[in-house]
Amino acid sequence: MEPLSAHSTRLARAWLKLGLAALIGSGLLALLLVLSRTPGLHNVFPLRDFFRAALVVHVDLSVLVWFMAFAGVLWSLAGNSRWAALGWVGFWLATVGTALIGVAPFFPNSQPLLNNYIPVLQHPVFFTGLTLAAAGFGLTVLRALLTIPPQIKAIATTTPMSAHAALRWAMLLGAIAAALALGSFGGSWLAVSDLQGIARWERLFWGGGHVLQFQHALLVCVAWFWLADALGAPVAVSGRTLLGLFLFAALPLLAVPVIYNQFEIDSGEHMLSFMRLMIYGHALMAPLVLLAVRSLWQVRQRVSPAKSAFLASMGLFVVGGVLAYLIRGANVVIPAHYHGSIVGVTLAFMGLTYVVLPHLGFGSPDGHLARWQPYVYGGGQLLHVLGLAWSGGYGVQRKVAGAEQLLTSLPQKIGMGLMGLGGLIAIIGGVMFVVVCLRAMLPSQHFKT
Ligand code: HEM
């Protein structure tokens, strides 16, 4: 990795801390969700009535804040040090926004609405938080577009620099996808004026929510190739070919303005078009995934935290992809797919955190705890995902807790029991990640490699 400017290091460190804080918040709420849905435990768990509000903030802290904050880390590392003030204003707006989202459930009368992608709490504190966070991420995306240099010459060379230049381009494509998603939210917001309640927020976040998935898909591939490079297995194709594959994976983004132009946002066609864009559009990242699997295969290093994360991430992401094609109706196979795919992304970002920490002036995570953490988190999630998929096959509904789940048959109870066991193991894996990172970030560890 090229030497970083002091400014880029400081900004990347700040985004990493916000990302970790969001992951901790989302993990704590996951504990509440799991205990509220596990047979036998949900009867005695006192906070199950808090399930819906917890689900809202669990999703927003994880999918929105953790993912955008980690993108903030990558864009700070890939960009030059210009527009520094823009970077810091963006960061602090997102941080204050996140804090407000985190405390909103504790305000009386904050009604949870479980719409997809960005569920909301109907309370001014939550909406203020979401607006500030969106403004912060918007400025961060703008700065990424202004500061990530498209290195045309480096791409054409046959040196390792060309692959690095291609990854920088891919991070720029990620920022373009983010800008398109923010534009979609703005466009939908202007068009939903007369809708109320859950329908309003479902339509408002539907388009942009699907577009954000392309940002995450592009950046998980960046994380996989960066991990492979750090593990001594540089990508096996030229920078130009790698860039071509990233541009191919980003092609479906061209359909976004067309969908907004063709269909009213409250029309069924609008929603169906974005579902199709997700189902068929993500298939275009298959060449990148295959290339990443090949890189993983070429890793010679026997054990390391980064390798454990790469393996667990790839395994879970593939399971999530397969489950996507098994979704039939609105049952818990949907969160099974979600957790396969997006926790696969989360594991890749966790592995890359281990790689960049020393470059940010912190210690270098190693030892048993760091090497086993991705397997505990990933293994727990795999059980969690398989439990949800099995239960979904027996008709268990999503986003309900306690007795509302109507778990009547033994297969349903076994499935949700497995969900609970896996979820608890995953939460332990999440705590291990926080401990490993905090240990490496302790002042006594700085620059001690
Ligand atoms: C320790 C790890 C985690 C556990 C145990 C966990 C557990 C859960 C549970 C039990 C639900 C409720 C499912 C339902 O009632 O339908 C849920 C929902 C959800 N979680 Fe997690 N989660 C974890 C990590 C994550 C991460 C890292 C992300 C994203 C980066 C994530 C994103 C989501 C989403 C998007 C939903 C909503 C699913 C839907 O709309 O059906 N989770 N999670």
Side-chain angles (χ1 to χ4, degrees), residues 23 26-27 30-31 33-34 37 51 55 58-59 62-63 66-67 116 332 334-335 338-339 342-343 346 377 381 384 388 397-400 419 422-424 426-427:
L23 206 58
S26 158
L31 182 61
L33 300 177
V34 165
R37 294 213 68 163
F51 174 83
L55 183 53
H58 168 74
V59 174
S62 57
V63 179
W66 156 241
F67 278 178
N116 286 301
V332 283
I334 296 177
Y338 271 13
H339 286 88
I342 45 187
V343 178
T346 293
Y377 191 75
Q381 267 304 337
H384 180 235
L388 285 170
Q397 291 305 299
R398 53 196 284 228
K399 304 185 184 182
V400 288
M419 178 288 298
L424 293 175
I427 290 165

Side-chain angles (χ1 to χ4, degrees), residues 22-80:
L23 206 58
I24 293 170
S26 158
L28 288 173
L29 291 164
L31 182 61
L32 191 152
L33 300 177
V34 165
L35 294 175
S36 307
R37 294 213 68 163
T38 305
L41 286 180
H42 66 63
N43 298 328
V44 293
F45 185 59
L47 292 177
R48 65 180 172 277
D49 297 341
F50 203 51
F51 174 83
R52 294 163 61 83
L55 183 53
V56 168
V57 181
H58 168 74
V59 174
D60 293 343
L61 287 181
S62 57
V63 179
L64 186 63
V65 180
W66 156 241
F67 278 178
M68 290 306 288
F70 201 82
V73 173
L74 294 178
W75 292 328
S76 306
L77 296 175
N80 56 36

Side-chain angles (χ1 to χ4, degrees), residues 328-376:
R328 301 278 179 282
N331 56 50
V332 283
V333 177
I334 296 177
H337 154 59
Y338 271 13
H339 286 88
S341 305
I342 45 187
V343 178
V345 175
T346 293
L347 273 158
F349 289 172
M350 285 175 165
L352 198 49
T353 300
Y354 290 157
V355 169
V356 299
L357 277 171
H359 297 282
L360 298 179
F362 296 124
S364 180
D366 207 348
H368 291 302
L369 194 68
R371 286 182 210 144
W372 278 102
Q373 181 273 325
Y375 293 132
V376 175

